Amino acid sequence: MLLTHFLASTLLPEGKGFISITGGGGKTTLMEKLGRYLADNGSSVLMTTTTKVASPRLHQYGADFIFEDESVLGHKPEKGSLVFYAHHHPMDMKKWIAPREEVLTILSSMYDVVISEADGSRGLPFKIHTERDPVIHPSTTAVIAVAGLWGIGEKAYSAVFGSDEDVPVDRDYLERYVKMEEGISKGFIGNNAIVFNGAECVDSSVLDMLMSIVYPENTIVVAASEKEDKIIRIIA
C-alpha cells in the first residue's frame, strides 16, 4: 500500500486540510512526497514551514512554483499544482524560515492542502521536544510525527535530538518516548499519525516490538519506507 495514499485518505477524508509534520528523520522527504502525491491527484498544495527547512536552492522539493516572499498571496492556486513558500534565513544561506503566522492562515483558506514542516531534529532519527517546539500552526487539522528506525539500538545521546542519556533506544526507551510529555506525540491535534520511517531496513522483530507498544488514542501508526512510498506494516 502506498504510504502517501494511506495518509491522504486517512488524514484528509474530504481532501482538504492543514498537515503539520513533526519529529525526527524523514520529515522533509515525507512533506515533498505527500505534497507531490496530492498535487498529482488534483489538489492545490502548498508546502511551507513554521520553523525552518533546507533551502530549495539546495534541496529538490519537486514544486511547480517557489516563492520567497509574500507575493505568494497574489498567486492563484491551481488544481494539480505544488507550491513551495518560505523566507530566506537572514544568517544561514542553507536554510529558509517560517512565514508570518497570519499569512499562513490566509493561505490555508486558499489551498486545498497545506503541509508544514513544524519541527527540527538536525537529521537525527528521534526528537525530544522543548517548550518551544513543535510549532503547530492554529489552522492544523492533522499532525504526522516521524521517527527513523535506523536509530534503534543506538545510544539515545547519538540518536535522539534533545537527549544526553547513555541508554539504548530499545523497546523500553520507545515505550517511554511514546508516553512522555515532550515525546513523539507532543503537538497532536485533530487527526494524528506516527510514521516509523526506514522500515525496509529492519527485520520483523523490530516491527513486532513496535506492535507491543501502546500508542495514544485516535492515532494511526505505520512502519513504512518513505523512500519507496510504501507501508511495510500497519502497527496501530
Side-chain angles (χ1 to χ4, degrees), residues 40-54:
D40 287 347
N41 282 273
S43 297
S44 58
V45 184
L46 178 77
M47 295 186 297
T48 188
T49 182
T50 52
T51 54
K52 54 187 177 182
V53 292

Side-chain angles (χ1 to χ4, degrees), residues 51-214:
T51 54
K52 54 187 177 182
V53 292
S55 166
R57 310 303 183 210
L58 301 174
H59 185 93
Q60 296 297 320
Y61 287 94
D64 300 304
F65 301 93
I66 294 175
F67 289 91
E68 55 192 64
D69 56 39
E70 293 179 7
S71 64
V72 67
L73 292 168
H75 176 77
K76 183 178 179 180
E78 300 174 359
K79 296 291 186 180
S81 179
L82 180 61
V83 173
F84 177 93
Y85 166 52
H87 293 264
H88 291 276
H89 195 294
M91 294 178 289
D92 185 353
M93 64 177 295
K94 295 181 180 180
K95 296 289 185 180
W96 284 23
I97 58 175
R100 292 188 293 134
E101 181 180 293
E102 55 266 38
V103 173
L104 289 185
T105 299
I106 294 170
L107 291 170
S108 69
S109 68
M110 296 169 58
Y111 286 80
D112 294 327
V113 182
V114 175
I115 308 174
S116 174
E117 188 166 326
D119 216 346
S121 64
R122 295 183 184 171
L124 293 177
F126 299 96
K127 167 75 180 280
I128 290 179
H129 299 95
T130 68
E131 69 279 359
R132 300 184 301 275
D133 52 33
V135 183
I136 305 298
H137 190 274
S139 299
T140 297
T141 60
V143 175
I144 304 173
V146 181
L149 290 177
W150 55 91
I152 300 295
E154 301 293 327
K155 291 296 183 71
Y157 62 74
S158 65
V160 184
F161 182 78
S163 175
D164 59 3
E165 290 186 281
D166 186 13
V167 297
V169 179
D170 55 12
R171 187 199 177 281
D172 290 341
Y173 186 91
L174 286 179
E175 188 165 54
R176 180 160 56 95
Y177 178 59
V178 167
K179 293 178 179 178
M180 70 174 63
E181 184 177 352
E182 302 296 332
I184 196 168
S185 62
K186 186 178 181 186
F188 276 10
I189 183 172
N191 299 317
N192 305 302
I194 296 173
V195 174
F196 286 106
N197 185 27
E200 76 277 17
C201 298
V202 301
D203 60 38
S204 61
S205 64
V206 173
L207 304 183
D208 293 341
M209 176 192 70
L210 295 178
M211 295 191 72
S212 71
I213 295 172
V214 177

